[in-house]
Structures are given as C-alpha cells and as structure tokens.
Amino acid sequence: MNTIPSVGFIGLGLMGHAMAKQLIKAGYSLCIHSRTASKAVPLVALGATYAQTPVQLAKIVKNNIIIVCVTDSTALEDVMLGAQGLLSHIDPGCLVIDMGTSRFDLTQTLAKQAQVKGAHFLDAPVSGGQIGAQQGTLSIMAGGHPAQLERAQPLFNTMAKQTTHVGGNGCGQLAKTANQMIVGATLNIVAEALFLAKKNGADPAKVRAALGGGFADSKILQLHGQRMVDKAFTPGARATTQLKDLQQAADLAQSCELNLPLNQACLSQWQGMVDADLGGLDQAGILAWVELNNEQSCPK
C-alpha cells in the first residue's frame, strides 16, 4: 500500500469535512490539514494522514493535487500567501484547487502566482450545501485551464454529480457569486412569504405544499422552506457565510461601477440578521430574523 498521500485537503469545516470523507471513501490517499486539529480526528481514523501546517502538507503531496476549502478569502490568503503559505513551497506541476467561495480578484492573483512557480490553479466552488457534500452530489463551477480540469475531474466525480467548466481562472467564482446572489434573495423572499401567510391565518406548511410544482417552486422552497416550517435552524450553511458571499458580490459590483439594488437590499437583510446575533443559524434562519425584525418594528 502506498503510504505517501497523493492528494492534499486543507479546510475541514461543514463542507470540507464531508468532501474529504468522500475522497477517502473513494480510495484516495489523503493528507489533510485544518486550523482546528480536532476536526481531523474522524478522518484520520478513516485513514487520512494529518499535516501540522500547509507547508508540511505541500512537502508530502509534492507535485500532485491540493484542494483548499476554507471559510473565506482572508483564510485563503493565509493558506496560500502567508508566512507558511503554499505558494512559497509547492512543487512545479502541483495543482491547487480552491473549492471555497472566494474573491474574483484574489482568484486571478493566485492563479498568476501559481503559474510563476510552475504550478497550476483552478477555482472550483461548489453548490449543494452540506447535504450535497455528504451525499457526493454537489455541483461544481470550475474556472481554469481545461487540461487541469481534466486532471481534477476524477476527484470531482467523487464529490459532485455535475461539473461545469465556466471559463478561465475566476469564472468559477463568478458563477458562484451569481449562485449566492440568487440563493440569498430567494431565501429572503421565501421567509417573508411564509411569514406573511402565517400572520394572516394560513398554515405555512400547506402554503409551501401548494406552491410546489408551480412557478414559485425551487430547491430553496423545498429544502429551506421545510426547515422554516419546522424551525430547524441548526446550520448546514451559516448565515454569516451567506452574508460574506453577498458582500463579495457587492464589492465586485462596486469595483466595476455597477448598480445592483436588489442585491444591496438583500445584503442589508442578512447584515441585520448577523447584527442581531443570529449569524450562527442556518440560512433558513432568515425567517427568525424576519420575525424578530417585525416584532421590533411593529410592536403590539
């Protein structure tokens, strides 16, 4: 048995842990790293090797593939560009894949710096949530060179049911930005619609069922709408993450002098939710913010 891991995986949060587990189940020899070492314990028990730092992981993986799936662009910069960052230590030929949701400009910068090192970079953010990660049914939006996507495809096939090559470096992140704008706005309106129906005497569960199959139907209505009905707000994806993604969309729009008023209104709602100390809830917990906001603005 080969004891040298051929694939590295950095970031073991709600999504990353499930994705790494899929790779182990598929038979990949995995070297993992997390800022919180305890998160690695269950995966080490399944056969993964733990690296104390990204640099140690890079030395073990050598010129193979390293997946990074961390919380935000700040964390990605730290992993890639920090004092112990990957880009100072990766071997020529290594392929680094960012599977988090990161800034468009940062993605382009990292791709260029990887090229200088003789390495390669793909941005490959995902959609499908924690359930999709656990079931290996994510959708991947990939940006980068087609040859490197082909190289990564066997790994993607273990984690996802669909991979779409959107274009060059950064285009995967542009697709994910569009995804998060649509998700954020849809979550908002589903919460407000169910709240309005309930306040006027209708059963939200029956309203949700009545909308199924019509033009208002969506995965958001089906999955998150059910969570809203059940008040099941244990996070699969936290509200703080949704806020971060909408802020990145707003920043990108500002950088190219675009006016996106609906995204700004949506961003304000999610900011209000986080400011109300509800940011640790699941995205479906936007309903809790709608309720709280109405209690505060329309007290009886």
Side-chain angles (χ1 to χ4, degrees):
M1 180 178 176
N2 183 10
T3 59
I4 301 176
S6 57
V7 177
F9 201 108
I10 298 175
L12 302 175
L14 293 173
M15 296 292 291
H17 189 281
M19 292 158 66
K21 187 175 181 180
Q22 289 292 336
L23 291 171
I24 295 171
K25 286 169 59 180
Y28 284 96
S29 185
L30 213 64
C31 181
I32 58 178
H33 171 75
S34 172
R35 289 183 296 184
T36 306
S38 59
K39 292 181 178 180
V41 173
L43 297 177
V44 170
L46 293 176
T49 299
Y50 186 71
Q52 297 294 328
T53 65
V55 171
Q56 183 184 24
L57 181 143
K59 290 179 179 179
I60 293 172
V61 174
K62 299 186 183 300
N63 64 348
N64 290 299
I65 296 176
I66 299 173
I67 294 172
V68 183
C69 186
V70 292
T71 308
D72 52 30
S73 295
T74 300
L76 178 63
E77 285 185 283
D78 187 51
V79 167
M80 297 297 296
L81 302 173
Q84 294 295 309
L86 287 179
L87 282 180
S88 296
H89 298 86
I90 55 174
D91 287 355
C94 181
L95 169 59
V96 179
I97 308 173
D98 172 25
M99 300 194 75
T101 303
S102 310
R103 296 194 328 263
F104 174 67
D105 62 316
L106 176 60
T107 296
Q108 293 184 311
T109 296
L110 294 177
K112 290 175 182 176
Q113 294 196 19
Q115 187 176 26
V116 170
K117 294 285 292 185
H120 310 280
F121 191 88
L122 287 177
D123 49 295
V126 303
S127 181
Q130 190 180 20
I131 292 176
Q134 291 169 342
Q135 296 177 347
T137 58
L138 294 168
S139 293
I140 296 175
M141 308 155 227
H145 196 283
Q148 296 307 315
L149 176 57
E150 183 178 356
R151 179 180 174 187
Q153 194 63 62
L155 279 75
F156 290 168
N157 289 343
T158 71
M159 297 181 282
K161 65 178 180 180
Q162 174 180 304
T163 301
T164 302
H165 185 215
V166 186
N169 283 120
C171 289
Q173 293 298 349
L174 291 177
K176 183 59 186 291
T177 296
N179 182 87
Q180 292 306 89
M181 291 171 68
I182 294 168
V183 167
T186 306
L187 281 161
N188 263 343
I189 202 63
V190 167
E192 291 185 3
L194 295 181
F195 178 73
L196 178 66
K198 180 180 179 180
K199 283 298 183 179
N200 284 279
D203 181 345
K206 292 183 178 179
V207 171
R208 175 186 162 278
L211 298 178
F215 281 162
D217 201 3
S218 66
K219 285 187 177 181
I220 296 294
L221 180 67
Q222 293 299 324
L223 298 178
H224 291 288
Q226 186 62 56
R227 290 179 182 178
M228 291 177 191
V229 168
D230 296 337
K231 298 293 182 75
F233 301 149
T234 300
R238 292 182 176 87
T240 49
T241 300
Q242 182 65 57
L243 173 62
K244 177 264 297 183
D245 294 344
L246 292 174
Q247 185 62 61
Q248 285 186 176
D251 292 344
L252 179 59
Q254 183 178 29
S255 73
C256 49
E257 299 181 343
L258 297 179
N259 180 29
L260 304 179
L262 183 55
N263 188 68
Q264 282 300 127
C266 185
L267 175 61
S268 178
Q269 286 280 76
W270 289 91
Q271 185 65 64
M273 180 178 177
V274 171
D275 290 346
D277 293 327
L278 299 175
L281 298 182
D282 183 78
Q283 292 164 303
I286 189 69
L287 176 62
W289 162 242
V290 171
E291 294 173 340
L292 177 62
N293 191 37
N294 275 271
E295 289 173 5
Q296 293 173 342
S297 60
C298 305
K300 293 184 178 180

mmCIF file of all heavy atoms in Angstrom, residues 5 7 19 25 30 45-46 69-70 93 96 133 146 171 180 182 189 219 255-256 267 270 293:
data_model
loop_
_atom_site.group_PDB
_atom_site.id
_atom_site.type_symbol
_atom_site.label_atom_id
_atom_site.label_comp_id
_atom_site.label_asym_id
_atom_site.label_seq_id
_atom_site.Cartn_x
_atom_site.Cartn_y
_atom_site.Cartn_z
ATOM 1 N N PRO A 5 0.606 10.212 0.747
ATOM 2 C CA PRO A 5 -0.658 10.743 0.226
ATOM 3 C C PRO A 5 -0.459 11.440 -1.117
ATOM 4 O O PRO A 5 0.495 12.180 -1.322
ATOM 5 C CB PRO A 5 -1.095 11.740 1.302
ATOM 6 C CG PRO A 5 -0.376 11.292 2.541
ATOM 7 C CD PRO A 5 0.921 10.742 2.071
ATOM 8 N N VAL A 7 -3.059 13.215 -2.535
ATOM 9 C CA VAL A 7 -3.976 14.345 -2.584
ATOM 10 C C VAL A 7 -3.950 15.053 -1.238
ATOM 11 O O VAL A 7 -4.029 14.413 -0.185
ATOM 12 C CB VAL A 7 -5.415 13.901 -2.911
ATOM 13 C CG1 VAL A 7 -6.376 15.093 -2.887
ATOM 14 C CG2 VAL A 7 -5.461 13.217 -4.270
ATOM 15 N N MET A 19 -16.595 16.595 2.170
ATOM 16 C CA MET A 19 -15.961 16.389 0.869
ATOM 17 C C MET A 19 -14.713 15.527 0.998
ATOM 18 O O MET A 19 -14.472 14.621 0.181
ATOM 19 C CB MET A 19 -15.628 17.746 0.247
ATOM 20 C CG MET A 19 -16.870 18.544 -0.144
ATOM 21 S SD MET A 19 -16.577 20.333 -0.294
ATOM 22 C CE MET A 19 -15.480 20.382 -1.701
ATOM 23 N N LYS A 25 -13.433 7.679 1.089
ATOM 24 C CA LYS A 25 -14.317 6.549 0.765
ATOM 25 C C LYS A 25 -14.071 6.040 -0.648
ATOM 26 O O LYS A 25 -14.238 4.853 -0.930
ATOM 27 C CB LYS A 25 -15.777 6.970 0.931
ATOM 28 C CG LYS A 25 -16.237 7.109 2.361
ATOM 29 C CD LYS A 25 -17.588 7.774 2.470
ATOM 30 C CE LYS A 25 -18.664 7.019 1.720
ATOM 31 N NZ LYS A 25 -19.994 7.678 1.838
ATOM 32 N N LEU A 30 -5.185 10.436 1.359
ATOM 33 C CA LEU A 30 -5.404 11.856 1.622
ATOM 34 C C LEU A 30 -4.520 12.354 2.755
ATOM 35 O O LEU A 30 -4.403 11.716 3.803
ATOM 36 C CB LEU A 30 -6.878 12.070 1.998
ATOM 37 C CG LEU A 30 -7.522 13.394 1.567
ATOM 38 C CD1 LEU A 30 -7.563 13.493 0.052
ATOM 39 C CD2 LEU A 30 -8.938 13.489 2.124
ATOM 40 N N ALA A 45 -8.986 8.664 11.552
ATOM 41 C CA ALA A 45 -9.465 7.326 11.910
ATOM 42 C C ALA A 45 -9.877 6.525 10.675
ATOM 43 O O ALA A 45 -9.843 5.284 10.689
ATOM 44 C CB ALA A 45 -10.640 7.434 12.880
ATOM 45 N N LEU A 46 -10.245 7.234 9.606
ATOM 46 C CA LEU A 46 -10.627 6.563 8.362
ATOM 47 C C LEU A 46 -9.436 6.308 7.443
ATOM 48 O O LEU A 46 -9.590 5.716 6.376
ATOM 49 C CB LEU A 46 -11.662 7.411 7.617
ATOM 50 C CG LEU A 46 -13.038 7.553 8.283
ATOM 51 C CD1 LEU A 46 -13.918 8.504 7.478
ATOM 52 C CD2 LEU A 46 -13.716 6.197 8.433
ATOM 53 N N CYS A 69 -10.381 24.313 0.908
ATOM 54 C CA CYS A 69 -11.803 24.619 1.105
ATOM 55 C C CYS A 69 -11.948 25.302 2.466
ATOM 56 O O CYS A 69 -12.323 24.671 3.455
ATOM 57 C CB CYS A 69 -12.649 23.352 1.025
ATOM 58 S SG CYS A 69 -14.432 23.640 1.081
ATOM 59 N N VAL A 70 -11.615 26.580 2.493
ATOM 60 C CA VAL A 70 -11.599 27.317 3.764
ATOM 61 C C VAL A 70 -12.723 28.353 3.803
ATOM 62 O O VAL A 70 -13.437 28.574 2.835
ATOM 63 C CB VAL A 70 -10.231 27.976 4.003
ATOM 64 C CG1 VAL A 70 -9.168 26.907 4.256
ATOM 65 C CG2 VAL A 70 -9.827 28.859 2.826
ATOM 66 N N GLY A 93 4.370 21.874 -11.124
ATOM 67 C CA GLY A 93 3.453 20.824 -11.576
ATOM 68 C C GLY A 93 2.312 20.559 -10.627
ATOM 69 O O GLY A 93 1.328 19.925 -11.001
ATOM 70 N N VAL A 96 -3.287 23.309 -7.435
ATOM 71 C CA VAL A 96 -4.040 23.770 -6.274
ATOM 72 C C VAL A 96 -5.461 24.105 -6.725
ATOM 73 O O VAL A 96 -5.649 24.824 -7.708
ATOM 74 C CB VAL A 96 -3.385 25.007 -5.629
ATOM 75 C CG1 VAL A 96 -4.219 25.472 -4.433
ATOM 76 C CG2 VAL A 96 -1.959 24.689 -5.189
ATOM 77 N N ALA A 133 -22.683 17.720 -0.043
ATOM 78 C CA ALA A 133 -21.315 17.288 0.267
ATOM 79 C C ALA A 133 -21.312 15.895 0.893
ATOM 80 O O ALA A 133 -20.466 15.055 0.573
ATOM 81 C CB ALA A 133 -20.660 18.296 1.201
ATOM 82 N N PRO A 146 -8.499 23.950 -19.291
ATOM 83 C CA PRO A 146 -9.202 22.674 -19.489
ATOM 84 C C PRO A 146 -8.368 21.448 -19.141
ATOM 85 O O PRO A 146 -8.898 20.460 -18.625
ATOM 86 C CB PRO A 146 -9.561 22.692 -20.980
ATOM 87 C CG PRO A 146 -9.624 24.140 -21.337
ATOM 88 C CD PRO A 146 -8.579 24.809 -20.494
ATOM 89 N N CYS A 171 -13.657 32.541 -13.399
ATOM 90 C CA CYS A 171 -15.026 32.362 -13.906
ATOM 91 C C CYS A 171 -15.851 31.418 -13.027
ATOM 92 O O CYS A 171 -17.070 31.577 -12.928
ATOM 93 C CB CYS A 171 -14.993 31.861 -15.344
ATOM 94 S SG CYS A 171 -14.440 33.118 -16.527
ATOM 95 N N GLN A 180 -24.890 32.613 -5.264
ATOM 96 C CA GLN A 180 -25.156 33.090 -3.911
ATOM 97 C C GLN A 180 -26.077 34.306 -3.902
ATOM 98 O O GLN A 180 -26.848 34.498 -2.948
ATOM 99 C CB GLN A 180 -23.845 33.404 -3.202
ATOM 100 C CG GLN A 180 -22.995 32.170 -2.915
ATOM 101 C CD GLN A 180 -23.769 31.111 -2.152
ATOM 102 O OE1 GLN A 180 -24.432 30.240 -2.740
ATOM 103 N NE2 GLN A 180 -23.717 31.185 -0.830
ATOM 104 N N ILE A 182 -28.564 34.705 -6.024
ATOM 105 C CA ILE A 182 -29.886 34.126 -6.242
ATOM 106 C C ILE A 182 -30.371 33.396 -4.994
ATOM 107 O O ILE A 182 -31.533 33.532 -4.577
ATOM 108 C CB ILE A 182 -29.857 33.184 -7.458
ATOM 109 C CG1 ILE A 182 -29.591 33.991 -8.736
ATOM 110 C CG2 ILE A 182 -31.162 32.398 -7.577
ATOM 111 C CD1 ILE A 182 -29.247 33.146 -9.950
ATOM 112 N N ILE A 189 -37.097 36.035 0.259
ATOM 113 C CA ILE A 189 -38.489 36.169 -0.149
ATOM 114 C C ILE A 189 -39.325 34.972 0.294
ATOM 115 O O ILE A 189 -40.518 35.117 0.607
ATOM 116 C CB ILE A 189 -38.613 36.414 -1.674
ATOM 117 C CG1 ILE A 189 -39.958 37.066 -1.994
ATOM 118 C CG2 ILE A 189 -38.360 35.159 -2.464
ATOM 119 C CD1 ILE A 189 -40.167 38.434 -1.377
ATOM 120 N N LYS A 219 -35.539 24.587 -5.232
ATOM 121 C CA LYS A 219 -34.869 23.818 -4.179
ATOM 122 C C LYS A 219 -34.890 24.581 -2.864
ATOM 123 O O LYS A 219 -34.974 23.975 -1.788
ATOM 124 C CB LYS A 219 -33.436 23.484 -4.586
ATOM 125 C CG LYS A 219 -33.327 22.394 -5.623
ATOM 126 C CD LYS A 219 -31.876 21.984 -5.848
ATOM 127 C CE LYS A 219 -31.793 20.826 -6.834
ATOM 128 N NZ LYS A 219 -30.391 20.386 -7.068
ATOM 129 N N SER A 255 -16.603 47.545 -7.696
ATOM 130 C CA SER A 255 -15.305 47.663 -8.372
ATOM 131 C C SER A 255 -15.466 47.907 -9.871
ATOM 132 O O SER A 255 -14.578 48.485 -10.502
ATOM 133 C CB SER A 255 -14.459 46.415 -8.129
ATOM 134 O OG SER A 255 -14.958 45.301 -8.866
ATOM 135 N N CYS A 256 -16.578 47.443 -10.450
ATOM 136 C CA CYS A 256 -16.803 47.676 -11.884
ATOM 137 C C CYS A 256 -17.959 48.642 -12.124
ATOM 138 O O CYS A 256 -18.536 48.678 -13.207
ATOM 139 C CB CYS A 256 -16.999 46.372 -12.643
ATOM 140 S SG CYS A 256 -18.179 45.216 -11.935
ATOM 141 N N LEU A 267 -28.501 42.168 0.907
ATOM 142 C CA LEU A 267 -27.330 42.268 1.778
ATOM 143 C C LEU A 267 -27.699 42.926 3.106
ATOM 144 O O LEU A 267 -27.274 42.482 4.178
ATOM 145 C CB LEU A 267 -26.235 43.059 1.072
ATOM 146 C CG LEU A 267 -24.962 43.382 1.857
ATOM 147 C CD1 LEU A 267 -24.250 42.125 2.288
ATOM 148 C CD2 LEU A 267 -24.035 44.262 1.009
ATOM 149 N N TRP A 270 -29.434 40.401 5.441
ATOM 150 C CA TRP A 270 -28.524 39.437 6.058
ATOM 151 C C TRP A 270 -27.606 40.108 7.076
ATOM 152 O O TRP A 270 -27.261 39.512 8.095
ATOM 153 C CB TRP A 270 -27.715 38.706 4.984
ATOM 154 C CG TRP A 270 -28.579 37.753 4.205
ATOM 155 C CD1 TRP A 270 -29.263 38.014 3.054
ATOM 156 C CD2 TRP A 270 -28.898 36.407 4.562
ATOM 157 N NE1 TRP A 270 -29.971 36.909 2.663
ATOM 158 C CE2 TRP A 270 -29.767 35.903 3.558
ATOM 159 C CE3 TRP A 270 -28.533 35.568 5.606
ATOM 160 C CZ2 TRP A 270 -30.272 34.613 3.585
ATOM 161 C CZ3 TRP A 270 -29.033 34.270 5.636
ATOM 162 C CH2 TRP A 270 -29.894 33.806 4.641
ATOM 163 N N ASN A 293 -37.408 41.109 13.306
ATOM 164 C CA ASN A 293 -37.438 42.456 12.746
ATOM 165 C C ASN A 293 -38.855 43.032 12.787
ATOM 166 O O ASN A 293 -39.040 44.222 13.065
ATOM 167 C CB ASN A 293 -36.930 42.417 11.305
ATOM 168 C CG ASN A 293 -36.677 43.795 10.736
ATOM 169 O OD1 ASN A 293 -36.227 44.692 11.436
ATOM 170 N ND2 ASN A 293 -36.956 43.974 9.469
#
